[in-house]
Amino acid sequence: MYNQLLQLQYSPVAALNRTYALSKTNGKVAAIIEAEKLQLTDNHFYFSLLGHLYTGVDNLKAMQHFETALKLTGSPSDKITITKNLDRLKEKKCDH
């Protein structure tokens, strides 16, 4: 459905949602490849998605993407959510 939606009218949000759905069906690595093609480098949702996709695959990269998302967002609620994601990764790093 996302493919059809993107053909009818491209939207960065729909592209990000498609990539998230792809991660659930084809796995994180396949979704990372597709996500990085989007190059939405001014979009905090893009970097937040990459952070989620890299979590468990490459936690250092995940942290870097969450940190970039944090710098790009102006939304206080998004900052809280992104910070929580970063904190979870830092806790996992300390567990090892």
Side-chain angles (χ1 to χ4, degrees):
M1 300 274 293
Y2 283 113
N3 289 342
Q4 291 175 344
L5 177 61
L6 291 170
Q7 288 173 353
L8 292 173
Q9 183 173 353
Y10 181 83
S11 157
V13 173
L16 291 172
N17 286 332
R18 176 194 172 274
T19 304
Y20 178 76
L22 182 68
S23 76
K24 296 300 181 185
T25 59
N26 294 18
K28 287 185 173 186
V29 174
I32 288 168
I33 292 167
E34 291 302 310
E36 290 179 341
K37 290 178 185 177
L38 297 174
Q39 292 296 305
L40 300 172
T41 57
D42 60 346
N43 186 312
H44 73 281
F45 294 118
Y46 171 70
F47 288 102
S48 188
L49 174 63
L50 284 172
H52 283 290
L53 295 176
Y54 272 106
T55 297
V57 175
D58 183 337
N59 287 348
L60 181 58
K61 274 192 176 183
M63 289 175 69
Q64 292 169 344
H65 287 302
F66 282 131
E67 287 168 355
T68 301
L70 195 57
K71 289 177 189 172
L72 289 173
T73 190
S75 163
S77 61
D78 287 346
K79 286 184 182 197
I80 290 168
T81 301
I82 295 165
T83 300
K84 285 180 182 178
N85 290 323
L86 270 168
D87 290 345
R88 277 189 219 112
L89 277 173
K90 289 175 184 175
E91 286 173 13
K92 285 182 184 181
K93 189 176 178 181
C94 290
D95 289 343
H96 294 333

